[in-house]
Amino acid sequence: MKCVDVCSFFFFFFLFFFLMIRRPPRSTLFPYTTLFRSVDTNGFHSKPNAKYQKWSINSFGFRGKGITKEKPDDIIRVITIGASETFGLYESENMEFPAQIQTILDENKPNRYQVLNAAHAGMSIPRIIEYYKSWLKQFNADIIIYYPLLLTI
């Protein structure tokens, strides 16, 4: 190995190490424990009625406004499932794509659709399947939209 290669390796190694020790702890960047619980009888999901900065979780653990568990007869219920992109981790309130779907549907057929954002940051495909079986299926969705993140497989 050339001296330049060895020096470059150590430079980038120490630069990475220095940046990592200066970074705030993960819990201050995004307090997962504020919004999410790891596992209970309903699987991995958001804490009901949790609030943190721009995120509001309803009483059933979905991002967005409150709903009833029983689907009204005249409503088509859409459940969106996925990871942070679907949840809208980096989006302002009502700018996550499930909320935008709700807005578009309301413009075309007001009060006909109900879009639930049942996504959570870090949800893998097996976790989503279990979450549906243990919790989401009782909400009687007419349509389910799954936005996959291939890195969570």
Side-chain angles (χ1 to χ4, degrees), residues 2-145:
K2 296 179 185 178
C3 180
V4 173
D5 294 337
V6 173
C7 291
S8 296
F9 170 77
F10 282 110
F11 172 76
F12 287 110
F13 175 77
F14 286 114
L15 178 65
F16 174 75
F17 182 73
F18 176 74
L19 292 174
M20 290 303 290
I21 62 172
R22 295 207 43 192
R23 191 182 80 179
R26 183 178 180 146
S27 62
T28 61
L29 293 174
F30 179 73
Y32 286 94
T33 56
T34 302
L35 291 178
F36 304 109
R37 66 178 96 190
S38 56
V39 176
D40 67 9
T41 57
N42 298 322
F44 178 85
H45 60 91
S46 296
K47 289 182 181 178
N49 302 310
K51 292 188 186 322
Y52 178 75
Q53 292 181 355
K54 60 186 175 184
W55 303 291
S56 296
I57 308 299
N58 68 25
S59 62
F60 293 108
F62 306 137
R63 181 174 180 181
K65 56 187 172 183
I67 61 160
T68 59
K69 186 184 275 188
E70 296 77 28
K71 182 177 70 90
D73 293 334
D74 58 338
I75 293 290
I76 296 172
R77 185 171 274 175
V78 179
I79 294 181
T80 58
I81 308 172
S84 56
E85 293 84 1
T86 306
F87 177 79
L89 190 61
Y90 300 107
E91 300 299 332
S92 306
E93 191 68 29
N94 296 318
M95 292 308 293
E96 67 276 12
F97 93 79
Q100 292 183 32
I101 292 171
Q102 181 72 64
T103 300
I104 292 167
L105 292 172
D106 283 345
E107 288 172 358
N108 291 299
K109 296 209 176 196
N111 302 317
R112 182 74 176 118
Y113 295 89
Q114 182 181 56
V115 180
L116 308 180
N117 185 347
H120 309 287
M123 292 287 274
S124 63
I125 293 172
R127 191 173 268 174
I128 288 170
I129 292 168
E130 184 57 36
Y131 180 50
Y132 176 79
K133 289 177 181 177
S134 65
W135 180 246
L136 293 179
K137 70 178 177 181
Q138 66 185 326
F139 290 90
N140 299 317
D142 297 298
I143 301 169
I144 295 176
I145 299 173

